[in-house]
């Protein structure tokens, strides 16, 4: 994550001693601040209340949380349970906690294992960028949704990794960033990241993506995902399904970029993915400002599922796959 | 328009002497306030800066503005020009101004003509409600976008007229209201109107409409429109096209409700409809609160076009028509 005003280059989350330290993403871009979690409860809260967000960053935070518990001599099963109870949709969370638990049972040092998990993730995102960059033509106008950038993935990003790479290679790209109501990750985080890298962009209301597709102003879509099924379906931030349907309707390729740790090889039917419903207030208010009348009601699903038929390709650190090829990767990749 | 705290029942705009008086829609629902426009410039500003909005209400405001100019002895061609220069997409604006100009040229009294235009519009919206109500089954869950309610149309509404009528007849309906970024007309105005009528509802992020359609929780969609072409295409608030594509993808009927004054019988190709692009700040900020970093860029088209192929039916005061039947109405209705 490149930060403003200095040459700092930080991951979204890291460890200092037994503290889990992270960029406080709820206050960006107005305030740049670090948050220090010193207990499992604090780590769990930072995930649940979205100080840290984005499936890969959540996975890394949870891995560090398990390492912290081991360092402090706490019960690892209790820690695992608390961490897994934070957010139901992102698969990396369960992947990382299960992996740490398994390693601990065979006497592994989780401080080292979690650091290597994080280093690994950063390297994977870089490879996602290299594979995905090949799909981007010179001058491409790319739509992205939510924030699947460095903040969401420790560094580089998933959806933003190919975009950064294409920009670095001088491809003259332009990015449309959906603002991504209700939590505005596009307006706050993606635009901030794009500005740090001097990538030309336009923030748009989520409502406007279809219009720009219809008018031929968008050449491709790249998003991240919080969980990919065996069939290549992708759960991601609410609104992703809308953009995918619109992309197909307008014959625009739609790519999902994820590390393999986001693929849930045990999930066959997308209808089984738990969809987190968050509080009504995120919709009734906008960033603390109440817009709707008192007594108004709202519903607030945080994720939706894009069935495989709308997905052109899934960009991973192992290469770009068609959704129907994901199942075949189970034996090769599902045992990491 | 039913208002809070009293038994007031006001239209969105009316005349007092030569003053054009309107409900100040930019401050709703927090503050209920009237705005009084005493000159053509003030009337034009109230339209341009959206104190009054919604194609039919804009049309009525412009008719009153022409009446005001006549009463004050001003040049009607100048007044017409100023009023027409406010917002390019809504057809009722041009329809109402042209009608008043034609009547004035034959010696008509615009005070009376504009009042009759408004009375007529209110009666038309009531008939839209009666025709549209027949399409709504008991217990239907209906999605609407933006605000095509009483505020947008003097009274009753266009999209909301059938909804009010179905509710009044005890059909046990439920309304999903898109919040409608960037100007939040759904969150501020539609939800407010639904609450005045005790209609069960949920406000949702624009991103969530597709999810609820995919999960079978929405039975039909009804929106208003700012301009309907001869071919039955409909320009409406940005995001309408997205919902229409998603509705068709999920086999959900999609209706557009408009008075005949919104049909532009001279417009054959929807690509010719001028689409207003508003300032970047509406996207970079939310209701005065800056969310995006300084220096960020945005694009902000205010409308999009839903081609006829996505529209199940167009609900008018003359009945419900298929888009392809609109052209045939030209001789019968195009000379009002």
């Amino acid at each position: 994550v490149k930060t403003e005003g200095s040459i700092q280059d930080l991951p979204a989350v890291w460890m200092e001693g037994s503290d889990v330290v992270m960029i406080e993403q709820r206050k960006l871009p107005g305030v740049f601040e670090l948050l220090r979690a010193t207990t499992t409860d604090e780590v769990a809260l930072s995930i649940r209340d979205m100080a840290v967000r984005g499936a890969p960053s959540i996975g890394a935070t949870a891995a560090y949380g398990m390492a912290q518990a081991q360092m402090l001599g706490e019960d690892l099963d209790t820690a695992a349970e608390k961490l897994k109870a934070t957010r139901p949709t992102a698969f990396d969370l369960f992947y990382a906690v299960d992996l740490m638990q398994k390693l601990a049972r065979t006497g592994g040092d989780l401080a080292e294992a979690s650091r290597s998990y994080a280093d690994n993730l950063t390297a994977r995102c870089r490879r996602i960028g290299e594979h995905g960059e090949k799909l981007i033509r010179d001058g491409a106008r790319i739509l992205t949704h939510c924030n699947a950038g460095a903040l969401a993935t420790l560094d580089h990003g998933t959806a933003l990794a190919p975009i950064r790479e294409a920009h670095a290679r001088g491809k003259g790209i332009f990015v449309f960033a959906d603002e991504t109501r209700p939590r505005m990750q596009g307006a706050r985080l993606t635009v901030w990241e794009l500005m740090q890298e001097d990538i030309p962009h336009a923030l748009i209301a989520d409502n406007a993506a279809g219009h720009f597709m219809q008018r031929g102003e968008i050449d491709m879509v790249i998003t991240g995902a919080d969980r990919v099924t065996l069939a290549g379906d992708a759960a991601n931030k609410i609104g992703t399904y809308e953009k995918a349907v619109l992309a197909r309707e307008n014959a625009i390729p739609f790519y999902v970029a994820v590390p393999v740790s986001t693929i849930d090889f045990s999930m066959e039917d997308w209808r089984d993915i738990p969809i987190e419903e968050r509080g009504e207030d995120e919709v009734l208010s906008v960033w603390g400002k109440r817009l709707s009348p008192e007594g108004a009601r709202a519903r607030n699903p945080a994720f939706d599922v894009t069935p495989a038929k709308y997905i052109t390709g899934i960009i991973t650190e192992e290469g770009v796959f068609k959704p129907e090829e994901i199942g075949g990767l189970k034996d090769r990749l599902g045992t990491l």
Side-chain angles (χ1 to χ4, degrees), chain A:
Chain A
V1 182
K2 283 198 187 171
T3 60
E4 265 159 305
S6 65
I7 329 173
Q8 287 184 302
D9 205 334
L10 299 171
V13 56
W14 66 94
M15 281 197 100
E16 291 180 6
S18 67
D19 294 353
V20 182
V21 188
M22 65 197 78
I23 297 175
E24 166 55 277
Q25 297 192 36
R26 290 169 297 191
K27 299 193 176 175
L28 286 176
V31 175
F32 183 84
E33 205 175 275
L34 300 181
L35 186 148
R36 186 173 295 267
T38 60
T39 65
T40 305
D41 285 334
E42 286 177 8
V43 175
L45 194 69
S46 73
I47 297 172
R48 201 190 64 207
D49 287 358
M50 300 177 69
V52 61
R53 27 67 53 202
S57 285
I58 290 173
T61 307
Y64 287 141
M66 290 296 286
Q68 177 187 73
Q70 192 189 51
M71 289 162 86
L72 299 177
E74 286 167 19
D75 181 59
L76 289 184
D77 290 338
T78 308
E81 206 175 307
K82 283 181 181 176
L83 291 167
K84 284 173 153 185
T86 51
R87 300 198 67 196
T89 306
F91 185 65
D92 302 64
L93 171 64
F94 306 99
Y95 177 88
V97 171
D98 289 347
L99 182 64
M100 293 300 127
Q101 239 177 332
K102 202 167 76 180
L103 291 173
R105 280 198 201 102
T106 57
D109 172 4
L110 296 193
E112 195 184 306
S114 61
R115 199 165 39 241
S116 126
Y117 180 92
D119 289 347
N120 229 308
L121 177 57
T122 305
R124 287 172 187 205
C125 287
R126 196 177 296 118
R127 289 208 299 281
I128 288 173
E130 288 160 4
H131 289 300
E133 185 272 339
K134 299 190 183 81
L135 302 168
I136 300 176
R137 67 159 181 73
D138 248 322
R141 296 156 304 172
I142 307 162
L143 174 73
T144 190
H145 189 71
C146 197
N147 173 265
L151 289 162
T153 67
L154 295 190
D155 211 348
H156 303 292
T158 49
L160 287 195
I163 289 171
R164 273 171 216 270
E165 190 65 26
H167 177 70
R169 296 190 186 197
K171 279 190 173 171
I173 55 166
F174 185 91
V175 177
F176 284 93
D178 281 346
E179 60 181 14
T180 318
R181 277 282 288 157
R183 290 188 66 93
M184 292 287 194
Q185 293 92 336
R188 296 186 304 109
L189 308 178
T190 297
V191 166
W192 184 74
E193 288 195 32
L194 294 172
M195 287 178 69
Q196 305 301 320
E197 311 259 352
D198 286 322
I199 299 175
H201 68 273
L203 178 68
I204 58 173
D206 303 302
N207 278 327
H211 171 74
F212 287 115
M213 290 188 199
Q214 184 194 46
R215 303 288 164 139
E217 297 192 42
I218 291 174
D219 301 307
M220 67 191 300
V221 186
I222 312 179
T223 74
D226 291 78
R227 192 184 296 225
V228 170
T229 70
L230 203 60
D233 316 301
N236 191 42
K237 181 55 52 197
I238 192 73
T240 304
Y241 166 68
E242 294 194 352
K243 309 317 155 194
V245 169
L246 286 153
R248 201 182 65 164
E249 188 70 11
N250 289 284
I252 295 165
F254 184 94
Y255 292 97
V256 171
V258 289
V260 169
S261 54
T262 303
I263 304 174
D264 180 356
F265 289 106
S266 73
M267 181 72 68
E268 293 188 22
D269 187 342
W270 61 263
R271 290 169 197 82
D272 294 336
I273 300 176
I275 298 294
E276 179 181 4
E277 283 230 17
R278 297 184 62 86
E280 295 184 37
D281 199 55
E282 287 184 357
V283 178
L284 297 169
S285 296
V286 181
W287 236 237
K289 180 161 178 134
R290 177 84 183 196
L291 279 186
S292 299
E294 287 306 320
R297 300 304 307 270
R299 287 192 62 189
N300 185 19
F303 299 93
D304 60 24
V305 180
T306 300
K309 68 176 174 178
Y310 300 105
I311 298 172
T312 310
I314 297 175
I315 307 168
T316 76
E317 67 272 33
E318 302 289 335
V320 181
F321 301 99
K322 292 193 183 124
E324 59 269 29
E325 293 174 314
I326 293 293
L329 301 177
K330 184 175 181 177
D331 292 334
R332 194 174 128 213
L333 304 174
T335 52
L336 291 172

